[in-house]
Amino acid sequence: MKNWKIYSVIITVVLVLGIIGICVYTFAFRETVTEEEAKNIAIEYANVVESDVTILSINKDRGDREYEIRFYDDVYEYEVDVNYNSGRVRNFEKDIRDNINISENTTVSMTEEEARNIALQRVGKSHDEVTFTRIKIDRENGITVYDVYFYDNEKEYELSIDVATKQVVAYKEDYLSLNNSNSNSNNVNNNTINNNIVNNNTITSDKYIGTQKAKEIVLEHAGLTSNDVTFSKVELDVDYNLATYEIEFYYNYFEYDYEISAVTGEILKYERGR
C-alpha cells in the first residue's frame, strides 16, 4: 500500500513537471510577432517608407526563429531578419541594386576593343603577350562595366572598366596554378593593387571617417563599449568607388558583423549570431 502511494506521488510530480515544462516551452518559443508586424519592423529599421519599397519575400525560418524579409527601393536591396519571439532585428543587409538583365544589344559609349586596350595598359602588357578568354558587358553596383578576362605566361587577370568614365574600377590578378611557388610575391602585388584602387577612387581616402570612428559607430549601435568586446576584423574595402569598413567583434559568445560606409558612417550591413 505504501509503495502504491509512493508511485502515485512520483507519477503526480512527473506529470506536474511535464505540464510546467510544456507551459515554459510554449511561452518561451511562441510566435509573439506576426508576419505583418515583422515586415513593419524591418521597414522601420531600414529607415524607408513602405510605399517606396517592393517586398520580394517574407520567409519563416523556424530553426533560427525569425522572419527573413527581402525588399528593394529605387536604389537599394535590403534583407532584414526579425526574431519572431522578441521582434529584435538579428541581421540587416543593404546593397546597391544590380541590374543583371543587360541586353547584348545595349548601346554603350565604349567598344570591346577600347576595353581591351585599357585593360592591357593597366597591366602593362601588349596584345601579343596575352590571350583574351572573355569580355562581357555587365551592370554592377549601379554602373555599367566591361568585364575583361585574359592571361599571360604567369598570371590570369580580371578587370572591370566603367564604360562612362573609362576607368578601371576593379582589378584582380592571380598566378596560374603552375606558379604557386610565387604566392608570396603575389600577395605583395595584390597589396599594391589594392592601394592603387584606393588612390584611383573619385572619393579620396582623406574623406574617410577612419577606423576609430567606424568602431565607435558600430559599438554605439550594438549598445557596447570597447572594453566589452574583442575585435577580430577592422578592414577598409574599396570596390567600384564604394568604400566600406568591414568590422567584426565578439561579445558574450555572440559574433557581430558590420559593414558601414567609409564616407558617411551609414550602416549598410548588420548581423549578430552565435
Side-chain angles (χ1 to χ4, degrees):
M1 191 69 174
K2 290 182 178 180
N3 289 339
W4 171 247
K5 289 182 178 180
I6 293 173
Y7 292 146
S8 298
V9 171
I10 293 174
I11 293 172
T12 301
V13 170
V14 171
L15 289 174
V16 170
L17 291 176
I19 293 172
I20 292 174
I22 292 172
C23 292
V24 170
Y25 180 86
T26 302
F27 177 80
F29 294 96
R30 75 185 192 279
E31 297 174 16
T32 57
V33 177
T34 66
E35 183 176 299
E36 182 66 20
E37 289 171 333
K39 182 191 73 173
N40 293 335
I41 290 171
I43 289 174
E44 181 178 0
Y45 193 93
N47 195 29
V48 295
V49 179
E50 183 174 359
S51 59
D52 294 337
V53 303
T54 300
I55 302 296
L56 290 172
S57 63
I58 302 178
N59 298 317
K60 183 182 293 183
D61 186 338
R62 295 193 179 276
D64 292 330
R65 301 194 301 277
E66 62 191 19
Y67 291 104
E68 299 173 346
I69 304 162
R70 296 178 59 240
F71 53 94
Y72 66 88
D73 57 20
D74 291 339
V75 180
Y76 296 100
E77 183 171 330
Y78 305 83
E79 181 175 339
V80 187
D81 297 341
V82 179
N83 184 279
Y84 59 55
N85 300 130
S86 64
R88 180 172 183 173
V89 173
R90 296 287 302 276
N91 175 63
F92 173 73
E93 296 186 24
K94 176 181 177 181
D95 294 305
I96 296 176
R97 290 180 60 192
D98 291 342
N99 180 9
I100 60 175
N101 297 318
I102 299 293
S103 168
E104 293 182 357
N105 297 322
T106 299
T107 301
V108 295
S109 57
M110 181 195 298
T111 65
E112 289 189 6
E113 187 61 27
E114 285 181 295
R116 290 192 185 94
N117 290 335
I118 291 171
L120 289 172
Q121 183 179 10
R122 177 65 177 83
V123 301
K125 300 288 182 179
S126 67
H127 280 272
D128 296 335
E129 294 176 291
V130 305
T131 300
F132 286 94
T133 56
R134 187 181 183 195
I135 180 168
K136 67 185 182 73
I137 193 168
D138 200 358
R139 183 81 172 171
E140 299 175 359
N141 290 326
I143 62 175
T144 304
V145 298
Y146 266 116
D147 290 331
V148 185
Y149 304 81
F150 57 96
Y151 65 90
D152 58 18
N153 292 331
E154 267 192 315
K155 304 174 185 177
E156 55 185 356
Y157 304 87
E158 177 183 338
L159 292 84
S160 294
I161 302 167
D162 186 335
V163 301
T165 65
K166 300 187 179 181
Q167 297 294 315
V168 175
V169 292
Y171 182 111
K172 179 181 178 182
E173 66 177 41
D174 289 309
Y175 279 86
L176 298 174
S177 58
L178 295 178
N179 293 291
N180 286 334
S181 60
N182 294 323
S183 58
N184 289 333
S185 60
N186 188 31
N187 290 335
V188 174
N189 289 337
N190 281 336
N191 288 334
T192 303
I193 292 164
N194 289 335
N195 289 334
N196 288 338
I197 293 175
V198 171
N199 293 332
N200 286 335
N201 265 312
T202 55
I203 299 175
T204 57
S205 58
D206 61 357
K207 301 290 186 180
Y208 300 158
I209 60 176
T211 56
Q212 185 59 39
K213 180 62 176 179
K215 289 194 288 186
E216 292 173 2
I217 291 171
V218 299
L219 288 173
E220 181 180 0
H221 180 270
L224 301 169
T225 68
S226 58
N227 294 328
D228 295 327
V229 308
T230 301
F231 285 96
S232 58
K233 179 181 180 181
V234 181
E235 290 184 1
L236 173 66
D237 180 50
V238 183
D239 198 8
Y240 293 100
N241 292 331
L242 178 65
T244 61
Y245 287 108
E246 297 177 356
I247 302 176
E248 297 175 5
F249 57 87
Y250 294 89
Y251 170 72
N252 198 21
Y253 302 107
F254 281 93
E255 180 180 7
Y256 293 75
D257 184 358
Y258 282 88
E259 184 175 330
I260 72 173
S261 168
V263 178
T264 66
E266 179 186 6
I267 295 174
L268 304 176
K269 175 183 176 182
Y270 159 65
E271 186 172 358
R272 173 179 177 266
R274 291 189 183 275

